[in-house]
Amino acid sequence: RLATTQLVIAIVLGLFLTMTFCIMRLKFPDIYMSRFNHYNRYGSSLKKILPPQLPRTIFSWFGVLYGIDENKILNCCGLDAYVFLGFFKMSIKLLFIFTVLGFTVISPVRYYFTGRYDQDRDDDDDEFLFTAKDDNYTNPDEYEPYLWTYVVFTYLFTFIAQYILAKQSNKFIKVRQAYLGNQNSITDRTIRISGIPPSLRDEKILKNHIESLNIGKVESIVICREWKNLNWLFKERMRIVENLEKFWSEYLANDNICDLVNIRSTIPDTYRLDANTYHDEENRFQDNEEEEEDQNREESNSRSFMNQDTRSIMENGGADEVTSSLISITSNSTRKRRPTIQVGGLFNFLGKKVDAIDYYTKQLQTLDQNIIEARTLHYSPTPSAFVTMKSVANAQLVAQSVLDPEINHCITRLAPSPNDIIWENVCLPSKERYFKVYYITVAIGIISVISIVPVSYLAAFLNTKSISKIWPSLGKFLKTHEWAKNIVSVILPPYLFTLLNVIVPYFYVWLSSKQGFVSHSEEELSIVSKNFFYIFVNLFLIFTLAGTFSNFWSYLSDTTKIAYQLANSLKKLSLFYVDLIILQGIGFMPFKLLLVSQLLKFPFLKKNCKTPRHYQNLYKPPSFNFGLQLPQPILILIITIIYSVMSTKILACGLIYFIIGYYVFKFQLIYSCIHPQHSTGKVWATIFRRLVLGLLIFQLTMVGTLALQKAYLLASLLTPLPVLTLWFLIDFQRHYLPLNNFIALTAIKDHFNRNSRSGSSNGNYGSEAQNGVPSIRTSTSSSLDITGNPTKTIDERRELNQTYDFPNMIKSLDGPWLMIDKEDIIM
């Protein structure tokens, strides 16, 4: 084997990429610390939640990153990032325990009896397969005594994994309840009702119906309607505004006319950039006192930039005066000639030349008038509504209640945050949305089944006998040239596996975006499930089985041999997975730090920046998608657990993978990327279920491994483990899942009572029992702002001043951006 070669390649590649990142971070801080660019636009009121600044030296950034604790992660990144990084920390703890036991107990015992530290094979022979099953044996006790350690440690590792999973679940549930129970945002008070019958599709009637059930008072109701036409008008408006901004930028690019004073004295609308423009991750948010100070400062700054004529226009002018003032900027004949476009003719060629700014300004005026009229029209209601209750407790009660005895009527669930809603899908008729959901699901299933064929044939290159059957000439060449055999069967497969793991998930992301989900968080959780299904079934089970059997399809047809096939395949592919984890952990994990896609497209984006809006979006932080980043680490942990008893090399490689991955993703989530989706940590249930699946496959593999060694008695001793594991999963579903999805009423009550207690706001929830029920106490330290301090959580800051009104019904019809002057947008 060339494991040493793979290790050297991975180390060299990893060190090169890490050094490149250290240099590039200093050269392009606006890219690699783009969240600071984003936060700095909000002023000094956010300094208490900002992560620490990184030093301007090559390697010292790691020490600062290492010192950032979970409280800071929770405050500046939110619950989803807390869960994501918590999964990595849990994996490090779990694999560290497994690795210590593997190196100190399992491997020495195995070496004493077999002369090998790990149970793996380094050949292509298949002959021994199924011999244990087919031979007639008479003594079931004829097996190596060291196999008893397999039984003992299969039980031990299963119980350790379950204990750590349960402990992590308890920790997350406590933090989640404390975090969300302390909030009083509009999202926490809002539910979404689907399946509303036609008789209740009116705001007043639905409000009276809900209040008549005596489950709480309703604050507001928004019935979702078929606003498809209004959506089209705003898309068309955005196109016109972009064209108008492009021609304004082309005209104002002449230094002779780009006089900021002259523009400011004529343009009637100027507002702060930080106050209105960054809707990507969070909206404008500040604490009350600081907000008033900043608002006063903004008003004085704005007044200082505008003369008396400008204020007169703002106070007395209307839309027509605004447009006329825009045109008056360039009325001086000595200025640069205005841009023109051709209108009419065939596809706007050979048409009449007209003033481009005037043409699009008139189009914008006409379209704005159409939008104003469209907002007054009646739109057919859909069977969905967002209902905001008076209190968080009322919302939690309604979300868990059955409101109607009819099937599929008035189904309640917690609402996504306003910024998280995909309004384009909400506006769809219910039948159209359900059709999109079902046909995309069917399409994904068909694609997954079809992809089994190419994956199985690609995996055949792991085995020279399989290569000989598919490509005889190549198989003959590889048998006579050892170096070629090593390249094709040893070095290339991990890269092939990684390539397949990179390309296809993006296709599933695109498919999910067409599936009609109501919110981005639902879409993201769906992507996690889809991509994990793909890499687990296609790139693990099929790849593993097909990579070791020359007659894969015939064996796959006999399901009674699955345990034997899986055990034998994993035994023969153990060194392949060592290479894979080394490559993805040491070699490619630092590659994620470089944000290559962001870095490569930056010169093109900067070159094509023509308008102020383009420049405003130039340094926007990239979005961190759990659907792309989470499935692979889950699979790596499952593979490591499956091999935990058989291979200490894979345990060590898995530990290194998660240590490196933890700090890579920690840097990205804190400094480089944003996670605008808002699922309040619900991805933990997805992680939990898939790890339980990994435990079941681990136990099945150990049964097959013992059976291959003729240790049938020992294999039978493992039969209780799958039952205990399934009971563990059922217990999670019954007792943990409700707390993973909802907020306990006691946690909400503790939040309101805490305001009236004196001296208890010390950074933890009160230690004294309230009415016999102990207060929820987080495991975090006193620096956690969510526990009694007045600072808002990141979710509350995102949702400040937000409503569930349809955005295109209330959005202001702003004019084109002419320029950005420091923190002000001139319109």
Side-chain angles (χ1 to χ4, degrees):
R1 298 287 293 191
L2 299 178
T4 303
T5 303
Q6 289 281 29
L7 180 61
V8 171
I9 293 174
I11 291 176
V12 172
L13 180 62
L15 290 176
F16 172 75
L17 293 173
T18 302
M19 181 61 68
T20 302
F21 165 74
C22 292
I23 297 173
M24 300 294 284
R25 182 186 68 85
L26 299 178
K27 187 173 180 63
F28 300 102
D30 288 333
I31 294 178
Y32 294 105
M33 295 183 64
S34 53
R35 287 198 71 185
F36 267 99
N37 302 329
H38 173 68
Y39 275 128
N40 286 342
R41 297 186 181 277
Y42 291 101
S44 61
S45 64
L46 294 184
K47 288 184 178 179
K48 54 193 165 189
I49 68 162
L50 286 176
Q53 286 274 8
L54 297 180
R56 296 283 298 174
T57 53
I58 292 183
F59 298 112
S60 57
W61 63 272
F62 182 78
V64 176
L65 185 68
Y66 177 82
I68 299 177
D69 58 14
E70 292 181 338
N71 301 330
K72 201 69 176 179
I73 295 171
L74 192 62
N75 284 331
C76 68
C77 302
L79 268 176
D80 291 326
Y82 178 86
V83 171
F84 185 90
L85 296 176
F87 162 67
F88 273 78
K89 290 189 70 174
M90 180 202 71
S91 302
I92 293 171
K93 184 186 302 183
L94 178 67
L95 296 183
F96 177 78
I97 296 173
F98 285 7
T99 303
V100 170
L101 292 175
F103 276 105
T104 58
V105 181
I106 301 176
S107 287
V109 171
R110 183 165 41 226
Y111 182 79
Y112 178 81
F113 284 97
T114 66
R116 306 187 69 167
Y117 283 104
D118 291 335
Q119 183 173 335
D120 49 41
R121 292 180 64 86
D122 198 16
D123 53 66
D124 287 332
D125 297 329
D126 294 332
E127 286 79 5
F128 74 97
L129 182 61
F130 304 127
T131 56
K133 183 178 179 183
D134 298 332
D135 290 345
N136 294 321
Y137 63 92
T138 57
N139 186 0
D141 295 330
E142 291 181 358
Y143 51 80
E144 296 290 343
Y146 79 92
L147 294 178
W148 273 101
T149 59
Y150 285 21
V151 177
V152 172
F153 279 92
T154 300
Y155 271 94
L156 183 60
F157 284 178
T158 298
F159 292 150
I160 291 175
Q162 291 180 358
Y163 171 77
I164 292 179
L165 272 173
K167 186 176 180 181
Q168 182 68 17
S169 298
N170 279 313
K171 177 182 178 182
F172 164 63
I173 290 298
K174 287 183 179 180
V175 171
R176 183 181 190 274
Q177 294 295 314
Y179 186 90
L180 298 179
N182 189 68
Q183 294 183 165
N184 192 32
S185 67
I186 187 171
T187 302
D188 298 303
R189 294 182 286 112
T190 304
I191 62 170
R192 183 167 72 91
I193 302 180
S194 58
I196 301 174
S199 60
L200 295 178
R201 294 178 190 176
D202 180 81
E203 282 80 359
K204 292 183 179 179
I205 296 175
L206 183 59
K207 178 179 179 180
N208 293 334
H209 175 70
I210 295 175
E211 292 184 342
S212 67
L213 300 176
N214 296 322
I215 53 178
K217 295 293 184 181
V218 176
E219 182 177 297
S220 64
I221 291 181
V222 175
I223 299 286
C224 300
R225 301 179 182 274
E226 297 179 10
W227 291 300
K228 194 173 182 179
N229 181 57
L230 198 56
N231 278 337
W232 181 87
L233 290 175
F234 267 88
K235 288 182 180 179
E236 184 68 13
R237 186 182 193 277
M238 192 64 220
R239 183 188 67 83
I240 294 174
V241 169
E242 287 178 356
N243 287 329
L244 193 54
E245 289 176 349
K246 181 183 70 174
F247 287 114
W248 268 114
S249 299
E250 178 183 336
Y251 179 70
L252 297 177
N254 189 338
D255 292 338
N256 294 329
I257 67 167
C258 192
D259 188 342
L260 180 62
V261 177
N262 291 340
I263 293 177
R264 283 192 179 275
S265 64
T266 314
I267 299 302
D269 200 354
T270 303
Y271 66 93
R272 297 296 294 249
L273 176 65
D274 62 338
N276 296 279
T277 59
Y278 271 75
H279 300 287
D280 301 293
E281 180 188 17
E282 303 166 1
N283 287 291
R284 175 66 169 178
F285 54 88
Q286 290 180 331
D287 294 334
N288 294 334
E289 295 180 0
E290 294 169 341
E291 184 176 8
E292 293 176 0
E293 293 176 2
D294 286 348
Q295 286 177 349
N296 293 335
R297 185 165 56 253
E298 290 166 10
E299 292 175 2
S300 67
N301 289 341
S302 298
R303 285 193 297 269
S304 67
F305 283 125
M306 293 182 288
N307 60 17
Q308 185 63 36
D309 295 335
T310 303
R311 290 195 295 273
S312 176
I313 294 174
M314 294 182 64
E315 293 171 1
N316 303 317
D320 295 335
E321 294 172 345
V322 171
T323 304
S324 62
S325 65
L326 289 175
I327 298 175
S328 69
I329 296 177
T330 57
S331 59
N332 193 325
S333 59
T334 61
R335 291 178 174 173
K336 180 182 176 181
R337 195 173 74 173
R338 293 160 65 90
T340 61
I341 59 172
Q342 289 184 332
V343 178
L346 183 63
F347 302 110
N348 289 334
F349 290 106
L350 303 177
K352 179 183 178 182
K353 284 188 177 182
V354 298
D355 186 288
I357 295 177
D358 287 345
Y359 175 76
Y360 283 111
T361 299
K362 292 176 182 179
Q363 277 199 343
L364 185 61
Q365 285 180 322
T366 302
L367 190 59
D368 285 350
Q369 189 61 38
N370 293 338
I371 290 174
I372 293 172
E373 294 176 359
R375 285 174 170 176
T376 63
L377 300 177
H378 174 75
Y379 295 92
S380 301
T382 67
S384 299
F386 293 104
V387 180
T388 302
M389 308 298 292
K390 288 288 188 180
S391 69
V392 178
N394 290 150
Q396 295 295 318
L397 284 172
V398 178
Q400 301 175 64
S401 301
V402 180
L403 301 187
D404 199 286
E406 296 291 333
I407 297 175
N408 293 329
H409 277 204
C410 293
I411 307 300
T412 60
R413 57 179 61 87
L414 293 175
S417 65
N419 290 328
D420 196 37
I421 296 173
I422 306 175
W423 286 102
E424 184 176 353
N425 294 334
V426 172
C427 299
L428 294 175
S430 57
K431 290 183 179 180
E432 184 177 347
R433 189 168 70 249
Y434 291 144
F435 176 75
K436 294 178 69 174
V437 170
Y438 290 130
Y439 90 77
I440 292 292
T441 302
V442 172
I444 290 174
I446 294 174
I447 293 171
S448 299
V449 172
I450 293 176
S451 62
I452 291 177
V453 177
V455 168
S456 62
Y457 281 105
L458 288 173
F461 280 86
L462 294 171
N463 186 290
T464 55
K465 288 188 176 181
S466 301
I467 294 174
S468 299
K469 287 196 172 186
I470 299 174
W471 195 343
S473 59
L474 178 60
K476 184 178 180 180
F477 177 80
L478 296 179
K479 288 180 180 179
T480 57
H481 297 79
E482 188 67 21
W483 63 270
K485 176 184 174 182
N486 289 332
I487 292 176
V488 173
S489 298
V490 180
I491 295 179
L492 289 183
Y495 293 89
L496 176 64
F497 188 100
T498 302
L499 183 64
L500 291 173
N501 196 18
V502 169
I503 297 175
V504 178
Y506 283 94
F507 175 67
Y508 282 120
V509 170
W510 178 79
L511 281 179
S512 297
S513 67
K514 306 298 181 182
Q515 202 166 355
F517 288 104
V518 173
S519 68
H520 293 286
S521 57
E522 291 180 6
E523 182 181 306
E524 184 182 53
L525 293 177
S526 174
I527 295 171
V528 172
S529 300
K530 291 183 181 70
N531 280 337
F532 178 81
F533 176 83
Y534 165 74
I535 66 172
F536 179 76
V537 174
N538 293 61
L539 296 187
F540 175 64
L541 292 181
I542 303 301
F543 197 92
T544 298
L545 295 176
T548 55
F549 295 107
S550 56
N551 54 345
F552 162 70
W553 294 105
S554 62
Y555 284 130
L556 188 61
S557 62
D558 186 358
T559 56
T560 62
K561 299 177 182 179
I562 291 295
Y564 291 94
Q565 292 177 13
L566 186 61
N568 181 66
S569 299
L570 290 172
K571 180 190 297 184
K572 299 187 70 176
L573 288 179
S574 62
L575 294 180
F576 162 75
Y577 284 115
V578 169
D579 295 342
L580 176 69
I581 298 174
I582 286 175
L583 178 65
Q584 294 196 357
I586 300 177
F588 284 161
M589 190 63 77
F591 182 75
K592 296 179 183 292
L593 284 172
L594 289 175
L595 298 176
V596 174
S597 61
Q598 192 81 355
L599 191 64
L600 291 179
K601 71 181 182 180
F602 181 79
F604 300 99
L605 292 176
K606 189 172 183 179
K607 182 179 179 180
N608 294 323
C609 278
K610 297 179 180 179
T611 70
R613 200 183 302 269
H614 291 163
Y615 281 101
Q616 184 251 343
N617 292 324
L618 183 61
Y619 293 101
K620 184 177 73 172
S623 178
F624 190 92
N625 193 326
F626 283 6
L628 295 174
Q629 307 296 347
L630 185 56
Q632 180 176 312
I634 296 176
L635 179 64
I636 295 296
L637 181 58
I638 289 176
I639 292 174
T640 309
I641 291 174
I642 291 172
Y643 279 103
S644 58
V645 175
M646 295 186 293
S647 176
T648 51
K649 290 193 289 289
I650 290 183
L651 279 175
C653 293
L655 179 61
I656 294 172
Y657 173 91
F658 280 97
I659 291 175
I660 296 175
Y662 173 74
Y663 289 103
V664 167
F665 289 123
K666 186 177 182 180
F667 181 89
Q668 285 192 326
L669 286 167
I670 294 177
Y671 291 102
S672 302
C673 305
I674 58 173
H675 183 250
Q677 292 83 355
H678 178 73
S679 65
T680 63
K682 290 180 182 178
V683 73
W684 174 248
T686 303
I687 296 173
F688 189 97
R689 296 190 191 100
R690 278 129 188 92
L691 294 184
V692 170
L693 173 64
L695 288 177
L696 291 172
I697 295 179
F698 163 58
Q699 295 153 13
L700 178 64
T701 302
M702 295 311 301
V703 169
T705 300
L706 293 172
L708 284 173
Q709 304 281 344
K710 297 186 179 181
Y712 297 100
L713 177 61
L714 298 183
S716 65
L717 294 178
L718 297 179
T719 52
L721 274 180
V723 177
L724 295 175
T725 303
L726 289 174
W727 174 85
F728 179 65
L729 176 60
I730 293 172
D731 180 72
F732 174 82
Q733 295 289 117
R734 289 180 177 176
H735 302 111
Y736 290 83
L737 194 58
L739 294 173
N740 185 78
N741 294 332
F742 302 102
I743 309 174
L745 298 182
T746 306
I748 300 170
K749 181 180 179 180
D750 181 75
H751 160 65
F752 289 108
N753 286 346
R754 200 169 56 251
N755 294 331
S756 61
R757 296 200 301 267
S758 59
S760 63
S761 181
N762 57 358
N764 282 317
Y765 279 86
S767 60
E768 299 178 0
Q770 299 293 324
N771 299 324
V773 180
S775 299
I776 294 178
R777 178 181 292 275
T778 65
S779 58
T780 52
S781 66
S782 60
S783 64
L784 186 60
D785 286 338
I786 64 170
T787 55
N789 293 333
T791 302
K792 297 179 177 68
T793 65
I794 188 173
D795 296 329
E796 288 182 299
R797 297 192 296 266
R798 287 170 175 171
E799 298 155 19
L800 190 65
N801 299 326
Q802 293 294 296
T803 68
Y804 282 89
D805 293 318
F806 182 49
N808 289 342
M809 291 291 286
I810 60 175
K811 187 184 298 182
S812 60
L813 303 177
D814 295 327
W817 294 7
L818 299 187
M819 68 169 52
I820 298 177
D821 177 37
K822 297 181 179 179
E823 294 183 347
D824 295 286
I825 293 178
I826 306 174
M827 300 172 60

